Amino acid sequence: MEKDAVRWHELECSWYTSAPKQLTSNPEIPTEYLRFALRYEAAKRQPNEFQSATTESFNRLCAHHQFVSDERSRVFAMYAAIVSVLTKSPRKELYGLFVRRMFNAHAIPARKGWILAPEASFFNHSCCEFNTHVTVDKNGFLIAKTACDVEQGKELLICYVDADTDTLTRQADLANTFCFVCTCRKCTS
């Protein structure tokens, strides 16, 4: 498994260094989507049992293409074109990869970055009634912990954004990232 990770990383890095410098060195252009797609494509080329299951789970996630803004769609199309040239993967498949990542990735508060965990995508959002925190342990396993006792049958909720920010910031983050307006008590009061 460790040798696979080294090979994935070497392939990802060789593609990344081949990408146009104006894309990879411009501080105005976030490269996390580009790096994600290259890492995903590199891992697909070094298949193992874990990687196959992860890829299959990820491909079942919803993409919600209809909610992607025109601006973001243009950026995803540009990234898909670049990654397609570097990896020889189909543009349409790569575009779908970016959209799935947009709607299903979760930030990892204790670490810098995010994770794509299909299981975590089943949690719904609330800014004020969230009762669950999702983290990742040192082995990469998803851990969901409740912040309090939860009544049996009650839905487990997470906050998709920083719950401590003001309402306008939360609403903008939710609209821009997840394409919905929150109507919880905290947002409507």
Side-chain angles (χ1 to χ4, degrees):
M1 183 77 155
E2 211 171 291
K3 287 181 183 179
D4 287 339
V6 170
R7 283 191 300 241
W8 300 344
H9 184 72
E10 288 171 348
L11 185 54
E12 173 195 344
C13 287
S14 72
W15 285 334
Y16 187 78
T17 57
S18 300
K21 297 298 175 228
Q22 66 269 27
L23 181 69
T24 58
S25 61
N26 184 342
E28 300 293 316
I29 302 174
T31 60
E32 67 181 52
Y33 279 88
L34 178 63
R35 287 181 174 279
F36 162 69
L38 295 175
R39 185 170 301 127
Y40 182 85
E41 290 298 315
K44 276 181 22 182
R45 285 162 174 75
Q46 307 291 331
N48 63 38
E49 188 176 307
F50 172 77
Q51 184 57 39
S52 298
T54 302
T55 303
E56 185 178 314
S57 294
F58 182 68
N59 287 331
R60 285 194 303 247
L61 294 173
C62 293
H64 304 295
H65 290 279
Q66 70 273 26
F67 297 118
V68 180
S69 69
D70 290 344
E71 179 183 346
R72 188 158 293 187
S73 183
R74 283 190 294 277
V75 170
F76 287 171
M78 176 188 68
Y79 280 170
I82 291 166
V83 174
S84 178
V85 168
L86 296 171
T87 66
K88 310 294 186 249
S89 297
R91 284 185 188 192
K92 187 175 181 178
E93 183 181 307
L94 292 163
Y95 182 89
L97 183 71
F98 293 131
V99 176
R100 282 182 180 84
R101 187 263 181 224
M102 175 182 162
F103 286 103
N104 295 287
H106 293 271
I108 305 172
R111 301 182 190 174
K112 294 187 178 191
W114 45 269
I115 186 171
L116 266 168
E119 302 83 8
S121 299
F122 294 111
F123 287 104
N124 284 320
H125 164 82
S126 176
C127 295
C128 61
E129 298 171 349
F130 64 95
N131 53 22
T132 307
H133 297 278
V134 177
T135 59
V136 179
D137 72 10
K138 65 181 180 182
N139 297 314
F141 290 100
L142 184 74
I143 306 294
K145 293 183 180 182
T146 58
C148 56
D149 290 338
V150 179
E151 193 176 306
Q152 184 174 352
K154 184 173 180 173
E155 181 177 21
L156 298 178
L157 300 167
I158 61 175
C159 188
Y160 292 175
V161 295
D162 185 350
D164 295 327
T165 58
D166 63 271
T167 302
L168 290 177
T169 302
R170 284 194 321 277
Q171 289 291 350
D173 288 349
L174 289 167
N176 291 332
T177 307
F178 301 100
C179 302
F180 74 89
V181 174
C182 183
T183 57
C184 74
R185 284 177 300 145
K186 190 172 184 175
C187 289
T188 56
S189 61

